[in-house]
Amino acid sequence: EVQLVESGGGLVQAGGSLRLSCAVSGFTLDDYAIAWFRQAPGKEREGVSCMSNSDGSTTYLDSVKGRFTISTDNVKNTVYLQMNSLKPEDTALYYCAATNYGPCPAIYIGGRYYRDFFGSWGQGTQVTVSS
C-alpha cells in the first residue's frame, strides 16, 4: 500500500524557514516523481515543486524559486521541502504527492491540471506565516 505522511509544518514569522518532510512507504522513490502542493483557504491546490527521481530534474513554481528547495533521501525514502524567506502568502496546507507516470509533468506546475497526474497523496501539513 502506497502511503505518504507529511510533517514539519508550523507557525513561523515572515522571513523564517521550515523544512517539510514526506515519508513514503509502499514504493521506492527511484521509480516515482514526487511533488509538493499547497492549498490556501478559498484557493485551488497548486503545485509548488516537483522532482523526477529518474533524472534528478526539478521544477518550481515561479513564486518560490530561489526560496524553496526540494530534495530526496532515497535511503530514508523521504522527500523534503526546505522553505526559506517565508512570506505570509506561503500560508497553506502543504501536501506531498507521488506519480509513477514518469518524470514530472511537462505542463505548468501552478495550473489546475498538474495535480491530475498524481495518484497518491498525503494528508497535508499546515504552514502558517505571520507578518
Side-chain angles (χ1 to χ4, degrees):
E1 180 186 4
V2 173
Q3 285 191 325
L4 300 93
V5 179
E6 303 94 335
S7 62
L11 173 64
V12 65
Q13 288 188 331
S17 298
L18 284 173
R19 188 177 78 159
L20 306 183
S21 299
C22 174
V24 306
S25 60
F27 65 97
T28 56
L29 290 173
D30 290 346
D31 301 326
Y32 281 70
I34 302 292
W36 286 95
F37 290 78
R38 66 186 181 187
Q39 187 166 17
K43 295 188 176 181
E44 291 204 9
R45 192 173 300 187
E46 65 178 358
V48 174
S49 182
C50 183
M51 171 175 273
S52 298
N53 284 287
S54 58
D55 61 7
S57 61
T58 56
T59 306
Y60 293 94
L61 186 66
D62 283 349
S63 62
V64 307
K65 282 180 181 177
R67 300 189 297 121
F68 290 11
T69 303
I70 189 171
S71 63
T72 62
D73 184 330
N74 287 6
V75 173
K76 295 182 178 180
N77 242 24
T78 301
V79 183
Y80 303 99
L81 185 69
Q82 178 67 44
M83 306 186 296
N84 299 327
S85 302
L86 283 161
K87 304 175 181 180
E89 51 264 42
D90 294 319
T91 295
L93 189 59
Y94 282 71
Y95 300 87
C96 63
T99 179
N100 62 351
Y101 163 77
C104 294
I107 60 174
Y108 175 52
I109 191 171
R112 61 179 297 175
Y113 299 110
Y114 200 83
R115 59 183 182 265
D116 293 343
F117 287 85
F118 293 82
S120 301
W121 293 81
Q123 294 300 306
T125 185
Q126 179 68 39
V127 172
T128 303
V129 185
S130 63
S131 57

